Amino acid sequence: MSMMRPYTAREICEALGITLDTLYRTRQVRHALDGLPRPLSERGPLKWERAGFDAWHTRHDPRRPPAPANDPVRPPEAATIEEHQALFHAAYAPPPLDTRRQHNRR
């Protein structure tokens, strides 16, 4: 198995849609705020490890579609406002209170 070559700064810029100058000026801020991975070396031309950058870019790409909801099926569509409110209150109603008398165990 051969090792993949690291991403160059130019390839990172193309993936992010920014210029090389912008990358060099904002790299520290992007690392601190967005969690951009650090380059493999600070000397010479900057290079990034492929797997780390790809994982970060997948999580932080603004063009990424929203994550699906955890619901297995879509909720029913309401025809009227009253029907919508009834469905909403049924879904988010607090559980009934237990009004039975509580006994302490001795």
Side-chain angles (χ1 to χ4, degrees):
M1 181 173 159
S2 66
M3 212 168 143
M4 303 265 315
R5 67 174 183 77
Y7 280 127
T8 63
R10 188 165 308 280
E11 292 170 322
I12 297 293
C13 291
E14 289 172 7
L16 297 176
I18 60 174
T19 65
L20 200 56
D21 180 56
T22 302
L23 176 69
Y24 275 90
R25 283 186 295 108
T26 62
R27 185 170 52 85
Q28 295 300 331
V29 173
R30 288 178 191 275
H31 173 72
L33 298 179
D34 297 339
L36 175 70
R38 293 216 183 264
L40 294 172
S41 171
E42 296 289 332
R43 292 187 181 159
L46 297 179
K47 294 183 181 188
W48 278 262
E49 187 244 338
R50 281 189 174 275
F53 177 78
D54 288 342
W56 174 84
H57 192 242
T58 299
R59 287 190 306 270
H60 292 87
D61 189 0
R63 296 168 295 188
R64 181 179 182 205
N70 291 333
D71 299 331
V73 295
R74 291 188 51 172
E77 296 293 329
T80 64
I81 293 176
E82 291 79 20
E83 186 180 340
H84 173 73
Q85 288 174 339
L87 290 170
F88 180 82
H89 289 299
Y92 292 100
L97 295 176
D98 185 7
T99 57
R100 294 179 294 176
R101 177 168 243 197
Q102 301 293 316
H103 299 284
N104 292 334
R105 292 186 179 182
R106 293 181 189 205

